[in-house]
Structure formats: C-alpha cells, structure tokens
C-alpha cells in the first residue's frame, strides 16, 4: 500500500460559486423589473424591455444561470471529496464553465431580441440548444470519468441524485427541443398541438424535478450533514427517497394540462403520480430535517444551518403544494392564476435560493481559508429574505384565490357574476405591490450576501484542498449476478425493457394492459424490497459499488414513465382523437403568429378553453385536440394576466384589435397590458415565408405548392383587405406591410375553425 497526496481542483468551484452570485443577482433584478411591469404597465420600455420578452429572460436566468451554476459548484466540490480524487480533466472543467457562461450570455442577448421558441423554460433557439447539449456532454464525460477513477468504492447518496440529474436532463432536453430550423434564428418544433403540449410539460415539470430538485437534494445530502457534523438521519430512508422519486417524478407532467384538450388517460396518469409523489418528497424532507436533530445550538447561532433548515422546510411545502395542485377540483380553481406564481417562487426562492445561500456561506470561507466576514449580515439576510419570500408567496396566494373565485363565480340566474375578465386583475393590484416589495427585499439581502462573501474572500487566500490517500489493491466486489437479477431494481429494469416492446402496439387497449402489468411488477418490487432479509452486504450496498450498473438502473427507472406517456401519445392510433381537420394558417397569419411568439404574448394569454362551465360561458366551446393540429409549437400558455384567446377570432372587428394594440386601455379599461404601438411602424418580413411554409409542410401541414410559391402575394392581399377595412371603419390610415396588420390577421384566425363547424 502506498500513500499519495491528492490536490483537489477547487478553482473550478470558486468560479462556479462567483458565477452563481453574479447571475443570481441579475436574474432576481430582472424578476423585480417584471414584477414592477405587472404592477405598473408604464414601466414597459419599447420592444426589447417589455414584459413578454423579459419574463423568459428572468426564468432562464434564475433556473439555468443561478441554480445551474450553484448546482455545478456543489457537485464539483462534493464529488471530489466523496470519491477521493481530483476531477478527471481540468480542461473539461474549464470548457464546462466557460461554455455554460457563454450559453447564459447568448440567452441574455437573444431573448430580449425576441428570438424564442416560446416553450416555457425551453425558449432558446436551436443553435443555442446545440451548444447546451455539447456543454452538457462535456460535463457528463468529466463527471462519469471521475466516477470511474474514484478511490472510494461505494458511491454516496448525494452522487445518486447527481447521476439521476445528468442522465434525465439529457433525455428531457433532447426530446423537447427537437425542431426543424428555418434559419439561424428561427425553427419549428417537430411536435404540434396536443403532442407538443404533453412533451413540453413532460419537460417543463421535470426540468423542475431534475434540474431544480434532484441535484439540490444531492447537495442537501452532502452539505447539511457537513454543516452540523452529523451523519444523514437514515440511510434506508435515503434509498426509498431516491428510487421512488426518480421513478415517480417523470410521470407527473400532465397535471399542468388538466381540463385541457389532452386526452383523459394522460391527465389521469399525471394526477395519480403527482399525488403519489407526496410520500417520497416528504421522505426526503424528513431525512433532511432529522439530520439537524441534536444540532439546535447551531440552529440558533449558525446562519448556515438556519438557511438549510428553512430551505428544507420550503422544499416540504412546495412538494405538498404540487400534488395538491394536481387534484382536479383545486386545479380548476387556481390554475392559470397568480397562485401558481406563488408556488413556483416558494420553491425557487425558498428551496433553491436558501440552499444556495447556505451552501455559499459554508463554502466560501473554506475555499479561501478564513472565517465569514460578518455573521450579523448573514443573519439579517436570513430574516429579511425569509420575510420577503413569505410576503411574496402570501400575496400571490391571495391574488390567485381572488382571480380563481371571481372568474368562476355565478349569480342566482346562473350567469357570470363578473363577466369582465379584468375585474379580477384590477383587484389584484395591491397584491402585485406586495409581491414587488417582497421580491425587492429578497434581492437586497442577496446583494448583501455577495458583499459579505466578497469581503470574506478578500480577507483570506484562495487555496486548493489536499488529502493523503492510501492506494489499496481493489478487492473483488461482492455482487453476484444472482443478487442483481433478483433485486427489486432489476425487476423494474426488466419491466422497462418489456414495456418498451409492449408500447409498440397500435392498440390503446393493449397499451393499458401493459400499464397494468407495470403497476403489478412495481408493487412486487416494493414488496420484495420490504421483505428482503438482512444480509452481510445488502443488495443496494453492493449496487453502490457498481457505478455503471447503478446509472443504467437509474436511466431505466426514469425511462419507464417517459415511454408510458410520450410513446402512446405520438405513436398509438386514437390515443389523441382528432374529430375534424384544422385549416392551415394563411401566409399573413403565419407571419402574425411568429410576431405573437416573438413578443411573448403567450406569457400572459392562454389559448386553451378548459372544460369548465365558467370557461365555456366566458370564452365559448371548450378546446379540442384537432384545433391545434397545425400549431408548431403549441401556444396554450399557463398564466392569464389577460383573457384566453382561443375563441377571439372574429369576436371583435379589425378596428378593435388595432386600437387595443395601440392603447389597450382604450378598449379594455383597467388593463395592465403594455402598448404595442411600435408594431405599426415595423415592417413585416415576408421574405422567409416560403421557407417557413416548406418547413411546416415537412412537419405535416397541408400547404399546397401553389400556396408556398405565392406566399408573399397572398400575404400582401390579405394585409390589404385588413387595411381597407380599417380605413372604411374609422378612416384609419396605416400601411399594409406592418407587423401590426399581420398580428391582427393571426388573432382573427383563432377559433374560426370551431365557429365554421358550428355554422355547418
């Protein structure tokens, strides 16, 4: 046996830590700005700094820039120490860091320019998507290479969660961002309508799960025990927490689409697994909080432990609230209201933000060999930041309930008590002010943390940690194939492979038979685990020594849920019933739709009349799957700051839309929508129309070759008819080739197919 000195690469941890703080402040600042814009529409400045363009910048900055950099800092720090080895490649680490920062900068430039795919949390256009994949592969290679050269045989709990995050995010991102490019800055999703909505929320919900939750749980399992100098409360509970979470989470996406045109079988799967998620999620929360048991003195005196305790509590609250929101009766009340904003920010600010703060307060003094500059500043950060979160969330809960109750309220005669949609929005103004104050307090205290940690670093010196390790000959691993085959996780793996072939059937009935078998085998696996006799080395302990096998099992556990939802929706006949044929978008309407996407209108308007009595009374016939067959991508939206637009076509004359876009308050008193007067002075781009239509034809849209060849002429003719109508109605003299005219053409198309069928 030889002794060897290992120097850890802590410089990469420092880089990701400072990037976390910088981008966190930027993302939160943009968040405060968009909160200000909702409260005061006058603060929307021009096309580049309007709410519709800044909102996706805010979400991407917080998720991928702030939490992403925080996650990488925690992973690079913890895995070197848990595996007792330096990262496999310093070059790959540097490429990962600078590549990720380049992605963030490109997002910060392109999103305000309106270059967006419009999918929530996946707005970036295709060249940046390719860069994301390249950088993620670099990170994965470095991670698994380091795992392969580890000096610690058994992989610790935190690394289980890191593995799940890396493989699942890769799958989610690749599937959801499949698109056909039109140009360097424009592409269309390969999925349309219902399928696109399902895939997007399969991604969107699980981006929250496997980017904002599982890697942060890994960080919790490492840094919380370190901060209190105690082991994790329960190793057995961590096993149940991990496998149940990675298997169940992937199924829950459809609960974002309840009462929508998504088939009921997919909605039901989302509800069932969302409710089941309560158990493993709270298992993780209990494991984290009970790890703090016996460290009450530190909880009173150490700000790091305060942040961790509060973060885990917010995790518990968010993972209780999520399943509650998937229950149809409650979902029907608060979905598309401000309640969802409160729910998301409770997780983002409380769980992610406070975990980041606790980790950074613990990490930076150690990375610079010194003590924290000011504990009093850190304590002030905790209490005022906590007050800011609670004020924010409480305001959004109150606002969301107000909106939900007012929109669905009926009077004694059975008609809408508040027929004007905007009555509920105007009632929310005070809550918008409270949200603005809460968010500002959180931002201020976050900046205080940056100052505190900057001064901490200045009084110390950057040092890379080193340890002495004993090089031992690798002993033969105690893991027979018999143990592998008869372990409960293997049962799930075998089930996944069988299910993969079973889902190739074109029969929906056969598909549900396979789902039933999946449930039977899953229950059998759980009972096998619970009834397993204690061995000298348990099957799971042995599995922890096989990193590759562990990764494969994790991948299969995740894939089962994805296959069970996505494959039938895309491949199985009649899984998504289509009652009628949707008409294609005329060339000018297609131009208008792309302008709608560019301006981020889907951030405030939905295009989905849900199957609720109050919605059909307010908007018209509930939306059906066939209406969206030509929508690449879907624009169902998830938040109503403005009314639903699925049936707005021909509801108002062209003049109404013209006035509404120039000055929304002239047609809708009390509206907080910004003015889009600049569209009247912007020339519509017809030059790329034929390319767009050819691309959509490849995706299945029934464009004739004649229509493609004459696209510009057809667009010009339709635009001129709208201009002539405006001139006749109110002597409005505007140019036919403006973006405003194209947008009016698109809005007048929405819901017309349904109206035509009703008239027939």
């Amino acid at each position: 046996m030889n002794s060897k000195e290992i120097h850890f690469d802590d410089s990469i941890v420092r880089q990701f830590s400072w990037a976390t703080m910088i981008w966190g402040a930027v993302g939160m600042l943009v968040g405060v700005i968009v909160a200000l814009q909702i409260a005061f529409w006058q603060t929307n400045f021009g096309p580049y700094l309007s709410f519709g363009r800044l909102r996706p910048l805010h979400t991407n900055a917080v998720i991928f820039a702030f939490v992403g950099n925080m996650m990488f800092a925690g992973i690079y720090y913890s895995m070197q120490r848990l595996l007792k080895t330096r990262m496999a490649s310093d070059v790959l680490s540097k490429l990962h860091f600078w590549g990720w920062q380049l992605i963030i900068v490109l997002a910060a430039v392109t999103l305000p320019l309106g270059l967006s795919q419009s999918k929530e949390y996946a707005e970036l256009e295709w060249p940046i998507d390719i860069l994301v994949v390249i950088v993620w592969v670099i990170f994965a290679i470095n991670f698994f290479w380091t795992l392969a050269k580890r000096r610690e045989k058994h992989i610790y709990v935190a690394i289980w969660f890191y593995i799940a995050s890396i493989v699942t995010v890769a799958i989610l991102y690749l599937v959801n961002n499949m698109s056909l490019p039109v140009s360097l800055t424009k592409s269309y999703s390969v999925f349309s309508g219902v399928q696109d909505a399902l895939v997007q929320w399969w991604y969107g919900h699980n981006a929250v799960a496997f980017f904002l939750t599982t890697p942060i749980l890994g960080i919790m399992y490492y840094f919380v025990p370190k901060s209190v100098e105690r082991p994790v409360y329960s190793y057995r509970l961590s096993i149940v927490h991990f496998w149940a979470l990675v298997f169940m989470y992937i199924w829950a996406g459809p609960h974002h689409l309840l009462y929508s045109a998504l088939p009921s079988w997919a909605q039901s799967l989302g509800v069932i697994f969302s409710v089941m998620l309560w158990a493993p999620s709270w298992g993780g929360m209990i494991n984290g909080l009970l790890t703090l048991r016996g460290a009450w003195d530190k909880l009173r005196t150490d700000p790091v432990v305060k942040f961790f305790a509060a973060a885990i509590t917010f995790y518990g609250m968010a993972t209780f609230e999520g399943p509650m929101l998937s229950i149809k009766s409650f979902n029907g009340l608060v979905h598309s209201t401000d309640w969802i904003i409160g729910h998301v920010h409770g997780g983002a600010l409380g769980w992610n933000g406070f975990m980041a703060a606790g980790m950074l307060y613990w990490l930076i003094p150690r990375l610079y060999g010194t003590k924290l500059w000011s504990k009093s500043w850190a304590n002030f950060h905790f209490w005022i930041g906590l007050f800011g979160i609670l004020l924010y969330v409480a305001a959004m809960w109150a606002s969301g309930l107000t909106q939900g109750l007012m929109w669905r309220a009926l009077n004694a005669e059975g008609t809408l008590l508040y027929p004007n949609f905007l009555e509920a929005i105007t009632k929310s103004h005070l809550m918008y002010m409270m949200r603005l104050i809460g968010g500002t307090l959180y931002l201020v205290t976050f900046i205080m943390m940056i100052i505190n940690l900057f001064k901490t670093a200045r009084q110390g010196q950057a040092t890379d940690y080193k340890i002495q390790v004993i090089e031992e000959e690798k002993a033969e691993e105690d893991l027979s194939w018999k143990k592998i085959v008869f372990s409960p996780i293997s049962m799930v793996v075998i089930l996944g492979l069988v299910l993969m072939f079973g889902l190739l059937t074109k029969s929906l009935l056969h598909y549900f038979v396979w789902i039933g078998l999946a449930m039977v085998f899953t229950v059998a696996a759980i009972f096998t685990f619970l009834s397993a006799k204690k061995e000298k080395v348990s099957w799971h302990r042995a599995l922890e020594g096989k990193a590759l096998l562990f990764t494969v099992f994790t991948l299969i556990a995740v894939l089962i849920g994805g296959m069970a939802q996505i494959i039938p929706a895309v491949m199985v006949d009649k899984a998504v019933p289509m009652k009628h044929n949707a008409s294609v978008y005329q060339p000018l309407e297609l131009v208008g739709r792309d302008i709608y996407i560019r301006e981020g209108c889907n951030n405030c308007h939905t295009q989905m009349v849900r199957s609720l009595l109050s919605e059909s009374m307010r908007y018209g016939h509930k939306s059906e799957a066939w209406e969206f067959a030509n929508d690449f991508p879907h624009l169902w939206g998830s938040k109503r700051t403005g009314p639903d637009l699925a049936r707005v076509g021909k509801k108002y004359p062209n003049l109404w839309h013209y006035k509404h876009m120039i000055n929304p308050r002239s047609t809708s008193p009390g509206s907080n929508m910004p003015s889009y007067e600049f569209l009247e002075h912007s020339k519509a781009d017809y030059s790329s129309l034929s390319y767009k239509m050819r691309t959509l034809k490849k995706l299945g849209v029934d464009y004739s070759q004649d229509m493609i060849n004459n696209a510009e002429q057809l667009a010009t003719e339709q635009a001129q008819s709208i201009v002539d109508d405006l001139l006749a109605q109110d002597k409005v003299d505007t140019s036919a080739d403006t973006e405003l005219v194209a947008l009016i053409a698109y809005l007048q198309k929405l819901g017309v197919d349904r109206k035509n069928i009703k008239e027939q």
Side-chain angles (χ1 to χ4, degrees):
M1 293 189 297
N2 299 317
S3 176
K4 186 175 182 179
E5 188 174 75
I6 304 297
H7 291 254
F8 294 142
D9 180 12
D10 286 337
S11 63
I12 192 67
V13 182
R14 283 187 287 271
Q15 288 176 307
F16 275 118
S17 297
W18 291 114
T20 300
M21 290 180 258
I22 293 168
W23 292 120
V26 171
M28 292 172 198
L29 175 61
V30 178
V32 169
I33 292 171
V34 296
L36 181 67
Q37 290 174 330
I38 289 291
F40 302 100
W41 62 266
Q42 298 90 338
T43 54
N44 287 266
F45 300 111
Y48 305 115
L49 298 177
S50 64
F51 176 86
R53 297 198 189 188
L54 288 183
R55 193 265 184 179
L57 176 61
H58 164 59
T59 56
N60 278 268
V62 170
I63 295 172
F64 300 109
F66 170 50
V67 180
N69 278 295
M70 171 256 188
M71 171 182 81
F72 296 136
I75 289 174
Y76 276 108
Y77 183 87
S78 61
M79 74 177 298
Q80 292 184 86
R81 286 151 177 83
L82 291 170
L83 302 178
K84 295 181 181 177
T85 186
R86 187 182 177 92
M87 293 304 300
S89 170
D90 290 357
V91 173
L92 290 180
S93 296
K94 289 181 173 64
L95 286 173
H96 176 202
F97 175 78
W98 291 110
W100 198 256
Q101 308 319 307
L102 175 60
I103 291 165
I104 296 167
V105 171
L106 290 173
V109 172
T110 58
L111 291 174
L113 290 175
L115 304 179
S116 169
Q117 294 189 79
S118 83
K119 294 186 175 188
E120 280 194 79
Y121 319 138
E123 291 91 351
L124 302 180
E125 269 294 354
W126 70 271
I128 308 177
D129 284 339
I130 292 174
L131 182 58
V132 170
V133 171
I134 292 170
V135 173
W136 196 260
V137 168
I138 289 170
F139 167 50
I141 291 171
N142 205 13
F143 179 91
F144 287 109
W145 188 3
T146 305
L147 201 57
K149 63 192 286 288
R150 68 190 186 279
R151 290 183 172 83
E152 184 66 41
K153 176 182 175 183
H154 294 284
I155 52 178
Y156 177 67
V157 181
I159 295 178
W160 309 349
F161 286 92
Y162 300 158
I163 290 172
S165 304
I166 292 170
V167 298
T168 310
V169 168
I171 296 166
L172 293 168
Y173 205 87
L174 286 170
V175 174
N176 185 58
N177 289 281
M178 291 172 64
S179 60
L180 280 184
V182 176
S183 66
L184 189 64
T185 58
K186 181 64 182 176
S187 64
Y188 290 116
S189 169
V190 300
F191 304 107
S192 70
V194 172
Q195 286 88 354
D196 189 53
L198 176 60
V199 171
Q200 194 264 313
W201 279 114
W202 173 71
Y203 162 86
H205 181 83
N206 291 300
V208 173
F210 290 93
F211 201 92
L212 299 178
T213 302
T214 53
I216 313 307
L217 285 169
I219 286 169
M220 178 194 82
Y221 273 111
Y222 179 82
F223 286 96
V224 170
K226 284 287 185 181
S227 67
V228 295
E229 299 176 334
R230 297 173 61 85
V232 170
Y233 169 71
S234 172
Y235 166 72
R236 185 177 292 273
L237 183 56
S238 67
I239 295 173
V240 176
H241 176 209
F242 174 77
W243 289 110
L245 199 73
V246 298
F247 176 73
M248 292 182 191
Y249 229 134
I250 204 79
W251 297 73
H255 79 231
H256 291 264
L257 303 171
L258 300 184
Y259 297 105
S260 74
L262 188 72
S264 58
W265 63 265
Q267 295 185 41
S268 297
L269 281 177
V271 171
I272 291 167
F273 280 92
S274 296
V275 173
M276 289 168 63
L277 269 172
W278 255 323
S281 297
W282 274 43
M285 177 194 68
I286 291 167
N287 217 7
L289 289 177
L290 291 183
T291 301
L292 300 174
R293 189 178 61 172
W296 307 124
D297 287 340
K298 282 200 169 189
L299 185 61
R300 287 194 298 269
T301 59
D302 189 346
V304 170
V305 181
K306 285 189 180 75
F307 276 106
F308 284 150
I312 297 168
T313 304
F314 273 107
Y315 170 67
M317 183 184 77
T319 53
F320 172 83
E321 196 179 3
M324 182 177 69
L325 288 166
S326 72
I327 297 171
K328 294 192 77 171
S329 56
F330 191 67
N331 182 280
L333 173 64
V334 301
H335 191 72
S336 295
T337 73
D338 285 326
W339 182 294
I340 307 303
I341 307 300
H343 167 61
V344 169
H345 283 79
L349 300 178
W351 164 236
N352 296 129
F354 270 19
M355 277 299 296
M359 185 191 81
L360 291 169
Y361 278 126
W362 188 90
L363 203 54
I364 294 298
R366 286 163 176 79
L367 292 173
Y368 288 89
T370 185
K371 292 183 177 181
L372 184 64
W373 179 69
S374 174
K375 268 193 175 184
S376 61
W377 274 43
N379 280 313
F380 183 85
H381 174 192
F382 174 78
W383 290 111
I384 301 303
L386 179 62
F387 176 73
I389 298 171
L390 296 177
L391 183 62
Y392 191 115
V393 173
M396 292 297 94
W397 282 352
S399 177
L401 281 175
T402 299
Q403 292 166 4
L405 290 169
M406 290 182 70
W407 290 338
R408 69 190 299 172
L410 303 179
N411 57 30
E413 289 75 30
T415 58
L416 293 172
L417 183 59
Y418 302 101
N420 184 354
F421 172 90
L422 288 173
E423 288 182 89
I425 299 298
T426 55
K427 291 287 185 184
S428 298
H429 189 262
L430 177 60
M431 278 76 89
Y432 290 152
M433 294 292 293
M434 291 172 61
R435 168 173 69 173
L436 178 60
I437 294 169
T440 302
L441 289 174
Y442 194 93
L443 172 62
V444 169
T445 55
F446 190 86
I447 293 171
M448 288 181 63
M449 180 191 74
I450 296 174
I451 296 170
N452 196 356
L453 294 178
F454 176 73
K455 288 182 175 290
T456 299
R458 285 194 65 183
Q459 71 185 13
Q461 186 175 0
T463 55
D464 288 353
Y465 190 73
K466 56 188 178 183
I467 61 168
Q468 290 287 133
V469 297
I470 304 298
E471 297 280 11
E472 299 180 2
E473 292 185 8
K474 290 188 177 180
E476 188 175 340
E477 295 177 325
D478 183 20
L479 185 61
S480 67
W481 284 107
K482 186 177 179 181
K483 286 183 179 180
I484 296 172
V485 170
F486 291 102
S487 72
I489 301 304
S490 289
M491 294 176 68
V492 175
V493 172
I494 294 167
L495 164 67
L497 295 174
V498 172
L499 191 61
M500 186 185 300
F501 291 104
L503 287 175
L504 295 178
T505 177
K506 293 291 184 179
S507 167
L508 194 58
L509 175 62
H510 291 168
Y511 162 71
F512 279 110
V513 170
W514 286 108
I515 288 293
L517 288 174
M519 296 300 99
V520 170
F521 274 95
T522 302
V523 171
I526 294 170
F527 274 105
T528 303
F529 170 71
L530 294 176
S531 61
K533 293 181 179 179
K534 291 184 178 179
E535 299 177 350
K536 189 174 182 181
V537 178
S538 69
W539 66 269
H540 198 278
R541 182 64 174 167
L543 180 62
E544 291 164 28
K546 294 281 189 180
L548 178 59
L549 196 60
F550 191 99
T551 302
V552 170
F553 282 5
T554 302
L555 177 62
I556 298 298
V558 168
L559 281 177
I560 291 172
M563 291 188 301
Q565 290 177 353
I566 303 304
I567 292 178
V570 174
M571 293 178 59
V572 177
D573 292 341
K574 299 181 181 178
V576 180
M578 297 290 182
K579 295 182 180 179
H580 305 283
N581 293 322
S583 62
V584 301
Y585 290 103
Q586 294 299 308
L588 185 65
E589 295 161 0
L590 184 60
V591 173
R593 191 173 197 269
D594 287 340
I595 293 168
Y596 183 96
I597 289 172
R598 185 193 70 194
E599 297 306 323
C601 301
N602 56 294
N603 290 305
C604 288
H605 293 281
T606 59
Q607 288 182 28
M608 170 54 60
V609 181
R610 297 185 297 167
S611 56
L612 296 168
L613 176 62
S614 58
E615 295 212 2
S616 60
M617 293 174 68
R618 186 181 300 277
Y619 301 116
H621 195 283
K622 70 176 183 179
S623 296
E624 295 180 329
W626 64 270
E627 299 179 63
F628 308 99
N630 293 323
D631 285 8
F632 295 86
H634 81 97
L635 292 174
W636 291 6
S638 62
K639 173 71 177 74
R640 287 174 178 161
T641 309
D644 186 88
L645 301 181
R647 302 280 177 254
V648 76
K650 308 304 181 185
K651 183 177 180 180
Y652 305 107
N654 293 325
L655 181 62
W656 186 94
H657 286 290
Y658 175 85
K659 290 182 176 179
H660 183 67
M661 300 306 294
I662 299 297
N663 178 15
R665 278 138 299 277
S666 67
T667 57
S668 307
S671 172
N672 57 356
M673 173 180 162
S675 168
Y676 286 91
E677 186 179 3
F678 66 88
L679 294 177
E680 190 178 23
H681 309 292
S682 303
K683 299 297 182 184
D685 179 18
Y686 296 164
S687 62
S688 60
L689 256 177
S690 59
Y691 297 106
K692 291 179 179 180
M693 294 169 71
R694 286 193 190 99
T695 303
L696 290 170
K697 186 176 176 66
K698 291 177 183 177
L699 294 171
V701 179
D702 190 22
Y703 282 125
S704 67
Q705 193 58 49
D706 185 60
M707 183 181 284
I708 294 172
N709 293 339
N710 298 293
E712 291 189 38
Q713 180 185 343
L714 292 170
T716 302
E717 290 173 358
Q718 187 178 6
Q720 190 59 52
S721 69
I722 293 173
V723 169
D724 292 343
D725 182 61
L726 290 173
L727 187 62
Q729 285 188 63
D730 200 36
K731 296 184 179 180
V732 173
D733 187 13
T734 188
S735 176
D737 59 352
T738 65
E739 291 188 328
L740 181 53
V741 171
L743 183 57
I744 291 173
Y746 169 66
L747 294 173
Q748 293 289 35
K749 168 70 167 64
L750 298 178
V752 170
D753 286 348
R754 163 57 61 182
K755 183 179 179 182
N756 291 339
I757 287 173
K758 185 177 179 181
E759 290 174 352
Q760 291 172 7

